[in-house]
Amino acid sequence: MVYSEQVDGAFCIACAIFSAHPTRGQLVTKPFRVWNKKSEKVQEHEKCLYHQSALEQADRLRQTVEHSESSIVAQVDACRAANITRNHEVLKSIARAVLFCGRQCIALRGDVERIIEMNDTFVSGNPWNFLALLKLLAVNDDVLRSHLEAPAMKCATYISPQTQNEVIEVIGKHIILRSILDDLNAALYYTILADEITSHNTEHLAICA
């Protein structure tokens, strides 16, 4: 119970906060001032179901404040942070696979556009080099293996042709090109080599600095 100097009366703080209702009367919505009947009123109030319910709600609030890490919001935030960290690790492995295929000048795609189960020993057709490499990397990478077998979201597997192209674009524009520009800016002199080829009736000009 708490005493209010403003209204010169006592209230049950738990009920006043969690069970306030016009019909509850004294100790809840109205101050209690009959001091000579305090014991009887308090004992009667303690037996009320709404008082017991209010105490339970007050206790849950206290536990939430004292142990904020166990609150639903905290658990959701922790789960979200864990998913972000997990996705970062998965994207690192995917970027390594794309970069490997590029450095070795091998095509990323083939005939089979899916990850073959980890225990498959024979697969008809030609699986994508990119997907086959991811399968190989997953043997010793539990995070990648878990993602390939059961991604958190079916719409975010990060192994589609669109994602591959996006990774290639990021590596080309923001890593390789930046490295070339840094070298050119640091050099006093540099030369440019050009070589032209024709493929499928289309001319391609490659420039190397």
Side-chain angles (χ1 to χ4, degrees), residues 14-22 24 28-29:
C15 291
I17 295 176
F18 297 104
S19 295
H21 192 278
R24 300 282 158 80
V28 182
T29 59

Side-chain angles (χ1 to χ4, degrees), residues 12-204:
C12 172
I13 186 64
C15 291
I17 295 176
F18 297 104
S19 295
H21 192 278
T23 62
R24 300 282 158 80
Q26 293 180 336
L27 289 176
V28 182
T29 59
K30 297 179 181 179
F32 175 77
R33 301 191 181 97
V34 187
W35 307 115
N36 60 336
K37 295 184 179 181
K38 181 182 67 174
S39 298
E40 294 86 343
K41 183 62 178 178
V42 169
Q43 291 176 5
E44 177 186 349
H45 181 74
E46 288 177 343
K47 296 178 182 179
C48 296
L49 293 178
Y50 66 79
H51 172 72
Q52 298 172 11
S53 176
L55 289 179
E56 292 178 357
Q57 294 182 63
D59 185 62
R60 286 197 294 268
L61 176 61
R62 178 186 59 81
Q63 292 182 13
T64 299
V65 173
E66 293 179 353
H67 306 284
S68 58
E69 69 280 357
S70 63
S71 67
I72 294 178
V73 174
Q75 293 178 23
V76 170
D77 288 343
C79 181
R80 180 174 178 272
N83 285 335
I84 291 175
T85 301
R86 180 174 180 269
N87 289 339
H88 284 173
E89 294 302 317
V90 170
L91 285 173
K92 286 180 182 178
S93 298
I94 290 174
R96 292 190 188 102
V98 172
L99 189 59
F100 176 84
C101 292
R103 284 177 172 172
Q104 298 303 116
C105 296
I106 56 178
L108 275 73
R109 302 166 197 168
D111 299 330
V112 182
E113 301 181 3
R114 66 183 179 90
I115 289 286
I116 307 304
E117 286 71 15
M118 295 297 176
N119 56 358
D120 281 355
T121 56
F122 175 78
V123 178
S124 60
N126 177 30
W128 292 2
N129 293 320
F130 168 73
L131 298 182
L133 181 56
L134 285 182
K135 177 182 174 182
L136 179 62
L137 293 174
V139 173
N140 297 312
D141 188 333
D142 293 336
V143 175
L144 180 60
R145 181 188 181 95
S146 174
H147 174 76
L148 296 179
E149 292 180 343
M153 294 188 297
K154 297 296 183 180
C155 61
T157 60
Y158 307 121
I159 60 176
S160 66
Q162 179 182 354
T163 300
Q164 296 172 39
N165 292 335
E166 290 176 354
V167 172
I168 291 172
E169 183 176 359
V170 170
I171 292 176
K173 288 186 176 181
H174 299 283
I175 298 178
I176 297 177
L177 182 58
R178 173 59 59 185
S179 177
I180 293 175
L181 291 177
D182 289 342
D183 291 341
L184 292 178
N185 292 331
L188 293 177
Y189 307 99
Y190 60 87
T191 60
I192 296 178
L193 301 178
D195 187 16
E196 184 178 12
I197 62 172
T198 301
S199 176
H200 299 286
N201 297 324
T202 301
E203 295 183 352
H204 300 274

